[in-house]
Amino acid sequence: MSEPIQPPIRLLIHGASGRMGQALLRLAAEPGPPFAVVAAVSRKPAQRVIDGVPFFAGDELDGVPAFDVAIDFSLPEGFAAILALCLARGAALVSGTTGLSEAQRDARDAAAAEIPLCWASNFSLGVAVLTELVERAAAALPGWDCDIVEAHHAQKKDAPSGTALTLGNAAQWGGATPRYASLRAGDIVGEHTVQFSGIGERIELVHRASNRDIFARGALHVAGRLAGRPARAYRVRDLLA
Ligand code: NAD
């Protein structure tokens, strides 16, 4: 039987030198939920210790200290290793890594039988609400065209974005058949437009992220709620309260 974890909750940040990893390290140090970052992992760390946090390379995971929750915002090539580490250590996993293959998604889903796990394509509250609105709109507008247009920074590797695919799933549950278009440009943090087009009228539902801290705060909130829970797959909305 799982027991609540006594604070501080020991965090491992996977993907720590990236845009999201840097936001997570900064925000985890803020006053609030009681976290201690005990390890940070990036592909090739430039330094061994930064602000008191020990850094490890992706192929040195065997040596990381004990932790309660791993927060993973890396790339698909690093996902198998962090999943295996959490399984081996019996630790919880919060992951926002997108672009996972079907085999990786299957491995993730199977792991949820053994550890508490929350994977989400988007950890912002606004997108959680948008997803519900899209499903309702799709159900209320049978026969309308549904198009999902997303824009992200030029370095983003996967397209359509994980969030666009999640919104598309919601549209499908509502009965629509979504189409996707992707734009990669400049430093855009993330924009998603879901457009429903009928004859002579059109609805656009839009979410714009202007700061990636919203995703990092959401992931930290979820990490605080996930530690010590029974093994299963959790959605962000299961852990909001
Ligand atoms: P980034 O390219 O800036 O950073 C990637 C990080 O992963 C780096 O620290 C890199 O060293 C590390 N990495 C890469 N391969 C690795 C490996 N094999 N082992 C260990 N570490 C490895 O990317 P980013 O903008 O920070 O985004 C990271 C991921 O998070 C992407 O998949 C992105 O789509 C996703 N993302 C998700 C959300 C969400 O809310 N779910 C929000 C923003 C970004």
Side-chain angles (χ1 to χ4, degrees):
M1 191 64 193
S2 308
E3 294 293 334
I5 303 277
Q6 294 306 311
I9 295 168
R10 296 166 300 175
L11 293 183
L12 177 150
I13 307 291
H14 192 248
S17 63
R19 284 167 284 255
M20 282 300 301
Q22 291 293 300
L24 285 160
L25 286 172
R26 176 169 45 79
L27 293 171
E30 276 187 352
F35 295 120
V37 180
V38 296
V41 180
S42 65
R43 197 169 16 207
K44 285 187 191 145
Q47 286 174 252
R48 278 299 167 188
V49 179
I50 301 175
D51 293 335
V53 176
F55 268 66
F56 297 81
D59 58 4
E60 295 172 341
L61 289 182
D62 286 349
V64 301
F67 63 96
D68 301 308
V69 188
I71 304 184
D72 164 57
F73 281 80
S74 61
L75 297 178
E77 45 268 42
F79 185 75
I82 190 62
L83 187 65
L85 180 71
C86 288
L87 284 166
R89 301 284 185 96
L93 175 61
V94 175
S95 176
T97 298
T98 63
L100 300 181
S101 66
E102 191 177 346
Q104 288 175 316
R105 293 196 301 271
D106 288 347
R108 173 198 68 193
D109 296 345
E114 295 178 49
I115 54 171
L117 193 155
C118 179
W119 179 91
S121 60
N122 194 303
F123 279 89
S124 85
L125 177 61
V127 164
V129 174
L130 176 63
T131 307
E132 292 191 18
L133 293 176
V134 166
E135 185 175 347
R136 281 171 53 188
L141 301 168
W144 286 38
D145 286 335
C146 174
D147 291 278
I148 300 176
V149 183
E150 54 99 352
H152 283 86
H153 55 85
Q155 287 76 37
K156 183 167 175 64
K157 298 215 165 117
D158 51 318
S161 69
T163 303
L165 295 171
T166 300
L167 292 168
N169 282 339
Q172 279 179 308
W173 290 326
T177 306
R179 295 175 297 209
Y180 299 91
S182 301
L183 180 67
R184 296 286 172 265
D187 64 352
I188 301 169
V189 174
E191 298 185 1
H192 293 85
T193 301
V194 184
Q195 175 177 290
F196 292 94
S197 310
I199 304 299
E201 57 182 331
R202 199 153 59 96
I203 293 176
E204 287 181 357
L205 298 169
V206 186
H207 180 269
R208 291 191 181 91
S210 49
N211 187 321
R212 51 181 56 80
D213 282 8
I214 57 170
F215 310 123
R217 283 189 203 286
L220 285 166
H221 176 86
V222 164
R225 304 249 164 205
L226 195 62
R229 294 224 180 196
R232 76 171 174 86
Y234 293 82
R235 299 168 304 175
V236 172
R237 72 171 98 146
D238 299 328
L239 301 162
L240 279 180

